[in-house]
Amino acid sequence: MTHFLDIHKTSPEDLRGMIDAARAMKDARNGRPRGALDDEQPLAGRMVALIFEKPSTRTRVSFDVGVRQMGGQTMVLSGSDMQLGHGETIADTARVLSRYVDLIMIRTFEEETLLEMAEYASVPVINGLTNRTHPCQIMADILTYEEHRGPIAGKKVVWSGDGNNVCASFLHAAGQFGFDMTFTGPKPLDPEAEWMDFARSKGVKAEIERDPFKAVEGADLVVTDTWVSMHDPESAKERRHNQLRGYQVNKDLMAHAKPDALFMHCLPAHRNDEVTSEIMDGPNSVIFDEAENRLHAQKAVMRWCLGV
């Protein structure tokens, strides 16, 4: 079964194929109405279940639109609809859904939920996000970087802030796409050592530098994310702000990167917390291209999963 569970579980050749396919599909839609169907209809007659235990804007809209553009249909299910793991087991839910649909995308909290869904489903499963990783976002980020600056291999990416699930998938991508990555942030929020080791095992540099100004020297891309994730308790907000205030992406920090360094943020952003509006709206920011590219990258992921 061809699942898309994490970047480090997918071969570099397949990942490259998805990025190239995403770019081709995006180019083919240039100048067409957003609601228009693609010339190819690879998902015609297919039903895709979109499961959301976590709330979502970009993931829900981009997957839903992507399926429809390719001629398929979606069934959107919330956590309250499903009651995953409460009453009916995840395994039984996976078995039942597989009798109705051709593909399952799940956005959930625990990685174990994703893995159990994939183990027992007889149709492909896509990781729309877990607390541990966010591979679809990073596929969009790679597509975005290469649209603006060419191949990402050999470039330097700097992550500033919390070593969260998006950072984890960036480290996976560093190993699979061949770029170097530096994390800068407070020690309690370091990315998992397992992910740093994975990138290093592929022959790229994966480093930690506490000084953010030193970290971004020579950076081709600077990335950050919210300081307080949607699953974090409100009590964590003040503590996170105190920990991360020195890692805000602002004009002074970006001045230490390469003059043409891009800025990315997966959104939603808390303006003037993790990044200033000046940077978000500045000439080096590609955040809205990045948001759009979730659509194109995920269409390529779905086609790869289904072999169409």
Side-chain angles (χ1 to χ4, degrees), residues 197-212:
D197 291 342
F198 172 81
R200 291 167 182 153
S201 74
K202 298 296 183 176
V204 301
K205 292 181 181 177
E207 302 174 327
I208 294 176
E209 172 55 61
R210 300 295 172 206
D211 182 340

Side-chain angles (χ1 to χ4, degrees), residues 35-305:
L37 295 177
D38 290 355
D39 291 332
E40 289 187 82
Q41 295 288 282
L43 266 62
R46 307 268 188 161
M47 178 65 72
V48 179
L50 307 177
I51 303 173
F52 294 93
E53 282 200 295
K54 274 190 170 185
S56 167
T57 300
R58 273 150 294 278
T59 300
R60 177 168 178 166
V61 174
S62 57
F63 267 106
D64 198 352
V65 170
V67 172
R68 293 168 189 250
Q69 286 181 353
M70 293 190 291
Q73 298 183 64
T74 60
M75 177 182 297
V76 180
L77 301 165
S78 71
S80 58
D81 293 329
M82 302 291 295
Q83 292 295 310
L84 280 175
H86 303 285
E88 185 172 61
T89 66
I90 296 165
D92 286 350
T93 299
R95 292 183 180 107
V96 170
L97 278 179
S98 297
R99 301 296 181 99
Y100 301 142
V101 305
D102 301 285
L103 179 67
I104 298 169
M105 188 287 302
I106 181 168
R107 180 179 171 96
T108 188
F109 292 91
E110 300 304 324
E111 183 182 50
E112 289 74 16
T113 302
L114 167 75
L115 297 178
E116 189 171 353
M117 181 72 71
E119 181 179 356
Y120 291 96
S122 56
V123 298
V125 174
I126 294 173
N127 177 0
L129 175 142
T130 71
N131 286 353
R132 203 171 184 215
T133 60
H134 196 0
C136 287
Q137 178 63 56
I138 304 311
M139 293 296 285
D141 293 354
I142 301 300
L143 174 61
T144 305
Y145 183 88
E146 294 195 340
E147 279 184 327
H148 287 269
R149 297 289 186 266
I152 197 168
K155 303 300 184 181
K156 178 180 178 180
V157 175
V158 176
W159 180 279
S160 182
D162 178 10
N164 62 11
N165 53 353
V166 187
C167 180
S169 289
F170 243 120
L171 283 164
H172 295 160
Q176 300 293 63
F177 286 95
F179 59 87
D180 298 331
M181 186 162 170
T182 298
F183 170 81
T184 185
K187 186 175 178 58
L189 299 179
D190 280 353
E192 293 184 43
E194 179 180 346
W195 305 147
M196 298 289 289
D197 291 342
F198 172 81
R200 291 167 182 153
S201 74
K202 298 296 183 176
V204 301
K205 292 181 181 177
E207 302 174 327
I208 294 176
E209 172 55 61
R210 300 295 172 206
D211 182 340
F213 296 97
K214 185 175 180 182
V216 301
E217 289 177 0
D220 298 286
L221 170 63
V222 178
V223 193
T224 192
D225 197 1
T226 55
W227 289 347
V228 181
S229 298
M230 63 179 68
H231 61 273
D232 290 331
E234 185 64 26
S235 58
K237 187 173 183 179
E238 184 176 357
R239 174 170 50 82
R240 285 294 183 93
H241 277 66
N242 290 335
Q243 287 177 308
L244 290 164
R245 192 168 286 114
Y247 296 95
Q248 182 190 68
V249 180
N250 51 39
K251 183 178 180 180
D252 289 342
L253 186 67
M254 289 297 291
H256 287 72
K258 288 183 177 178
D260 65 345
L262 296 179
F263 170 74
M264 289 189 190
H265 188 305
C266 67
L267 303 179
H270 295 98
R271 285 175 176 260
N272 300 313
D273 280 354
E274 68 270 14
V275 58
T276 61
S277 288
E278 180 180 26
I279 296 301
M280 287 185 68
D281 300 327
N284 292 34
S285 173
V286 291
I287 58 175
F288 297 112
D289 291 340
E290 186 185 0
E292 177 190 345
N293 283 339
R294 286 288 300 276
L295 168 66
H296 308 295
Q298 288 162 185
K299 286 168 69 174
V301 170
M302 288 187 280
R303 293 189 68 167
W304 176 78
C305 286

